[in-house]
Structures are given as structure tokens and as C-alpha cells.
């Protein structure tokens, strides 16, 4: 599961300050907040136009979570003040990835880490996204996935040293076919049926 893998890679420690870019509903911010404890802090940044006041109450009520909205490519937070930055399933939506990664570099303390989890280019999941999602996502789905060469270039121009790249298998586990179809339709805000979503997923992803 991608959430478990991301938590493992972040490896949050008590007292750390960790930034979650593209925090969404807080599915990762909240467990990381528990790991850093009362002496640490999670800086939860939503990359969409959602304001801090619109973020879920579970995030707003957490005492060691600070909510920040993105202003262009700028994250309103002091330089050199974050131990780890992580982002899951958000970077592919960012048009200027170099500018954002420069911002991550600015925020990180010396020796700090940036962890990116996303769909890799030239994979079956990428082909599923390219075929099915743009045609049926009711809100549109503007994105560009990365391969290793892309990431090396982004790192070179943003000051970040690439230490690890990998493509991992992180299956989605659903109760049955009907639940899998509903999950796909809901997750990508699709205007087609759950059955059609599952049919396309079978074709590209298998199960």
C-alpha cells in the first residue's frame, strides 16, 4: 500500500518538523503527527486552491499540525527549518516542478530529505492514467509523470542530490470487484460507471 510505504520512507522521529505537500484530507499528515509527537510538528500544505479553513476538521484540530495554503510556487515558511519534505501523488499536477523543488530545497535543513511518491512514467499505471482518466475525469486531470531522467534533471537544477530511485508495487486492496470499481470512480472523480472504471483497470493493471 502506498501509504504504508511512504510512512516507512519518511521514518518520522519524535521532535522533527516534517512538511507534507499535497496533504489533502490528512491521511499521511495525521499518522506522521503522531510519530513526531508533541515536541515535533507537521506542516501540512495543500497544493490545490483549498484554503486552510476548508481543510478537514481532523487536521485543523490536531495541535502539532500547522496548515498552510500554497501561494503560487511559494510556501510561506522559514528557510532551513524542515527536517523532511514528502509528497504523495501530487507532484505530477505541478507545472513547474523545478521551481517547487527549489522551494523544497530552501525549506530543508542541511542534510534534510525530500521524498517523492508518485506514478512513474513508462509504467502500466501511467498508461492507465493516460488512456482512461483524462477522458472521464469530471474536473479534468492535468498532469505529467516523471521517469528517472526527468527527476535527475529536476534535482540538478534545484540543488537536490538524488540518492534513490525505485519503482515499487503497491497494490490497492478492495473487498470485491464492486468495491474496486467504486473506489476507482470516486478516487478520480469519474463521470463514467464504476463497472467501466474496473474494466479499464483490468485491461491495464490486472488484479
Amino acid at each position: 500500500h502506498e501509504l504504508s510505504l511512504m510512512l516507512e520512507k519518511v521514518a518520522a522521529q519524535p521532535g522533527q518538523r516534517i512538511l507534507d505537500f499535497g496533504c489533502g484530507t490528512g491521511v499521511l499528515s495525521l499518522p506522521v503527527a503522531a510519530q513526531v509527537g508533541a515536541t515535533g510538528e507537521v506542516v501540512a500544505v495543500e497544493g490545490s486552491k483549498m484554503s486552510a479553513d476548508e481543510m478537514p476538521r481532523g487536521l485543523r484540530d490536531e495541535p502539532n499540525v500547522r496548515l498552510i495554503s500554497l501561494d503560487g510556487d511559494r510556501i510561506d515558511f522559514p528557510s532551513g527549518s524542515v527536517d523532511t519534505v514528502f509528497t504523495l501523488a501530487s507532484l505530477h499536477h505541478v507545472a513547474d516542478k523545478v521551481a517547487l523543488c527549489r522551494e523544497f530545497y530552501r525549506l530543508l535543513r542541511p542534510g534534510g530529505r525530500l521524498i517523492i511518491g508518485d506514478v512513474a512514467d513508462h509504467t502500466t499505471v501511467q498508461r492507465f492514467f493516460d488512456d482512461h482518466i483524462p477522458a472521464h475525469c469530471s474536473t479534468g486531470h492535468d498532469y505529467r509523470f516523471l521517469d528517472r531522467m526527468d527527476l535527475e534533471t529536476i534535482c540538478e537544477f534545484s540543488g537536490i542530490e538524488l540518492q534513490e530511485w525505485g519503482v515499487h508495487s503497491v497494490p490497492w486492496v478492495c473487498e470485491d470487484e464492486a468495491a474496486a470499481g467504486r473506489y476507482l470512480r470516486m478516487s478520480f472523480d469519474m463521470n463514467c460507471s464504476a463497472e467501466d472504471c474496473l474494466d479499464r483497470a483490468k485491461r491495464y493493471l490486472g488484479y
Side-chain angles (χ1 to χ4, degrees):
H1 195 286
E2 64 257 40
L3 301 181
S4 300
L5 181 59
M6 181 58 74
L7 289 172
E8 176 187 320
K9 295 290 185 183
V10 172
Q13 300 298 314
Q16 287 186 323
R17 178 180 283 139
I18 296 181
L19 189 143
D20 177 3
F21 178 81
C23 64
T25 60
V27 291
L28 286 170
S29 293
L30 292 173
V32 171
Q35 291 170 343
V36 300
T39 59
E41 182 179 43
V42 171
V43 181
V45 181
E46 178 47 47
S48 72
K49 296 188 182 302
M50 186 187 299
S51 71
D53 290 340
E54 294 172 319
M55 290 182 185
R57 181 172 295 279
L59 271 179
R60 288 185 278 134
D61 292 346
E62 196 66 31
N64 64 340
V65 174
R66 188 185 311 201
L67 300 174
I68 295 180
S69 295
L70 186 66
D71 183 14
D73 293 323
R74 183 78 177 178
I75 298 171
D76 186 18
F77 211 71
S79 300
S81 61
V82 174
D83 295 291
T84 300
V85 173
F86 73 89
T87 177
L88 176 63
S90 291
L91 192 65
H92 64 267
H93 290 293
V94 175
D96 193 339
K97 295 173 175 55
V98 171
L100 181 64
C101 285
R102 282 177 176 160
E103 184 68 353
F104 292 156
Y105 182 76
R106 178 188 70 80
L107 293 167
L108 286 167
R109 293 183 173 128
R113 299 181 305 137
L114 168 62
I115 300 163
I116 299 168
D118 215 323
V119 174
D121 207 3
H122 314 301
T123 61
T124 55
V125 181
Q126 168 262 314
R127 287 188 282 276
F128 170 67
F129 269 80
D130 282 351
D131 171 62
H132 188 54
I133 306 299
H136 297 284
C137 179
S138 61
T139 58
H141 197 263
D142 190 16
Y143 61 89
R144 185 174 71 82
F145 298 125
L146 304 177
D147 59 18
R148 178 169 186 141
M149 187 176 297
D150 294 325
L151 194 58
E152 287 175 348
T153 301
I154 289 169
C155 288
E156 180 182 353
F157 284 97
S158 59
I160 295 168
E161 178 185 351
L162 179 60
Q163 295 192 343
E164 180 184 347
W165 160 275
V167 178
H168 301 272
S169 176
V170 284
W172 293 325
V173 180
C174 298
E175 183 179 324
D176 52 31
E177 286 193 359
R182 290 193 301 270
Y183 170 77
L184 291 166
R185 187 173 187 272
M186 176 191 67
S187 297
F188 304 112
D189 197 17
M190 306 298 278
N191 58 20
C192 59
S193 69
E195 292 75 16
D196 189 41
C197 286
L198 184 59
D199 181 62
R200 294 296 183 96
K202 287 180 186 178
R203 205 178 307 171
Y204 285 92
L205 307 177
Y207 71 94

